Amino acid sequence: MRFKVPWMVLLVWGLVAFCNAQNKALFEHLKKVEKKQKNYNKLQPGWNLNLSSTLTVTQTAYHQWAAGGSNVLVWVAGVDGTAILDTVNWNWANESKILFGKAKQNGEPARKTDDLIDLESVLTYKKKEFLNPYISLNLRTQMAPGYKYEAERRIKISDFFDPAYFTSGVGVGYSPKKTFRTRIGLAAQTTFAHQFTQYANDKKWNVESGIQWVTHAERRLWEKLLIRSRLNMFSSFEKFEYGNIFWDTLIQASITKYIIVNIQTLVLYDAKVSKKTQLKEVLSIGIKYTFI
C-alpha cells in the first residue's frame, strides 16, 4: 500500500493541474469572445461596411424506391450588405437584401420560391443619447414574374417591379447599440403597379399615409451562431386595423468558415394580397462568403 500512495498523489495532482489549465484556457477564451462581442455591438467612427453572399441547396433523389417519393432540387442565392456611416452628430445606415431561388420537382418546369429586392436608407440626427429624429426611405420589390398554379395551368400574378412598394418616413428612433434599433413615425407608402393593378387599388400607383414601426435586432452567440430579425409594420390611416406586416428572421450556424446551416422564417400580412397571414419556414445548408 505504501508504494501505491505516491502514485495516487501524483495522479490527483496531475488531474488538478490539468483542470486548472483547462479552466484558465476557457476563461481566456470567454474573455476574447466577450471582447469580440462588445466590439461587434459597437459602431466604429466613419464607415462600417459588410457584404456577404450565400448559396443554399436542398436535394432529394429516388430511384426504384418502392415507397414512392418525389425528386426535388431547391436552390436559393442571396446577397446581404450594410454600409453605415457614423459621425458625432449623424448616423446614415444603408441596408440591402437580395434573394432569388427556384425549386424543380420530378422533371417539371422550375418554380420560383424566393424573389426579393429590399433596399433601405435611414438618416438619423443624434440629438439625444438614445431617442433621435430620423428620415427613412425603403424600396421592396421583386425581379422575376410570379405565378399562381392551378391544376394544369399557371396564372401570372406579378412581374419585375410590379408591384413595387416605396415607403418614406420621418419620426423618432431608439438605438442603444449597433445590433438593436427601433423607430416609429409617420410614413407614406406608394405602391407602383403596371399590369397587376390589384396591388394598388386598381391604379397604376397608389399612395397611403399612416404609421410605420421598424425594428432590427441581431445577436451573435459563441462566434458561430447568428440570430437576426427585422420587423416592418405599416398601418394606413384609412384602414388602420389592416396593417401590413413583413417579419423576417434568420438563425444561421457556421459549421466551418464557409459552410452554414440556415433556419429562416418569414411572416407576411397584406390585406390587398390575402386576408390570411402568410408564413414560410426554410431549413437549408449551404455556403457563405464574406467580401467585407
Side-chain angles (χ1 to χ4, degrees):
M1 190 71 181
R2 62 177 180 273
F3 296 104
K4 295 182 180 180
V5 172
W7 290 107
M8 295 293 293
V9 172
L10 290 175
L11 178 61
V12 172
W13 180 84
L15 288 173
V16 171
F18 175 78
C19 291
N20 286 335
Q22 291 299 311
N23 287 337
K24 184 178 180 181
L26 178 61
F27 180 72
E28 293 296 329
H29 175 72
L30 291 176
K31 284 179 63 178
K32 291 180 180 179
V33 171
E34 183 179 4
K35 184 178 180 180
K36 286 184 178 180
Q37 184 67 40
K38 288 182 178 179
N39 293 334
Y40 181 77
N41 290 337
K42 291 182 180 179
L43 283 172
Q44 303 300 319
W47 283 102
N48 296 256
L49 304 176
N50 180 266
L51 179 63
S52 63
S53 61
T54 59
L55 175 63
T56 59
V57 178
T58 302
Q59 190 262 344
T60 305
Y62 299 91
H63 178 66
Q64 297 179 356
W65 193 255
S70 299
N71 298 332
V72 180
L73 175 64
V74 182
W75 63 268
V76 179
V79 177
D80 285 276
T82 59
I84 304 175
L85 176 61
D86 193 64
T87 65
V88 176
N89 297 318
W90 296 92
N91 179 276
W92 184 24
N94 303 277
E95 295 189 17
S96 63
K97 183 174 183 178
I98 300 174
L99 280 176
F100 190 79
K102 284 192 173 185
K104 188 175 180 63
Q105 181 174 351
N106 282 345
E108 297 180 355
R111 298 185 180 185
K112 185 174 68 172
T113 59
D114 292 83
D115 191 358
L116 174 67
I117 300 175
D118 195 345
L119 309 175
E120 182 179 78
S121 183
V122 182
L123 179 63
T124 303
Y125 175 55
K126 298 193 293 187
K127 184 176 182 180
K128 301 293 184 180
E129 183 177 2
F130 295 129
L131 294 177
N132 301 297
Y134 74 88
I135 57 173
S136 66
L137 300 173
N138 177 264
L139 172 66
R140 180 161 52 90
T141 186
Q142 62 183 33
M143 292 177 277
Y147 297 91
K148 179 181 180 181
Y149 294 88
E150 294 182 353
E152 299 298 323
R153 66 189 186 115
R154 65 177 188 174
I155 303 171
K156 192 175 182 180
I157 58 173
S158 62
D159 208 337
F160 171 69
F161 215 79
D162 189 4
Y165 302 93
F166 180 78
T167 306
S168 58
V170 58
V172 64
Y174 173 68
S175 181
K177 52 186 177 181
K178 174 185 174 182
T179 53
F180 178 83
R181 56 189 185 277
T182 185
R183 67 181 193 268
I184 187 170
L186 301 176
Q189 184 178 86
T190 305
T191 304
F192 296 95
H194 176 65
Q195 180 181 355
F196 306 99
T197 56
Q198 66 269 24
Y199 299 106
N201 289 339
D202 297 322
K203 304 175 185 177
K204 293 294 184 180
W205 58 280
N206 183 60
V207 180
E208 297 175 281
S209 58
I211 296 178
Q212 183 186 40
W213 175 38
V214 181
T215 298
H216 298 253
E218 187 172 315
R219 180 70 175 175
R220 188 176 293 276
L221 303 174
W222 311 301
E223 299 185 88
K224 298 294 184 180
L225 186 64
L226 173 66
I227 303 173
R228 179 187 296 156
S229 186
R230 179 188 177 201
L231 174 64
N232 190 333
M233 300 181 66
F234 174 82
S235 291
S236 67
F237 293 127
E238 295 180 359
K239 298 179 179 179
F240 196 79
E241 65 276 16
Y242 297 111
N244 295 349
I245 299 174
F246 185 90
W247 187 10
D248 186 12
T249 301
L250 171 69
I251 301 175
Q252 185 177 94
S254 299
I255 307 303
T256 67
K257 183 178 180 180
Y258 299 110
I259 299 177
I260 57 171
V261 175
N262 285 346
I263 299 177
Q264 185 177 13
T265 61
L266 181 60
V267 179
L268 293 175
Y269 180 78
D270 188 344
K272 295 187 293 294
V273 178
S274 173
K275 297 296 183 181
K276 298 180 180 180
T277 301
Q278 305 172 67
L279 173 63
K280 182 177 73 172
E281 183 272 331
V282 179
L283 171 62
S284 59
I285 186 170
I287 58 176
K288 177 180 180 179
Y289 184 78
T290 301
F291 298 95
I292 304 176

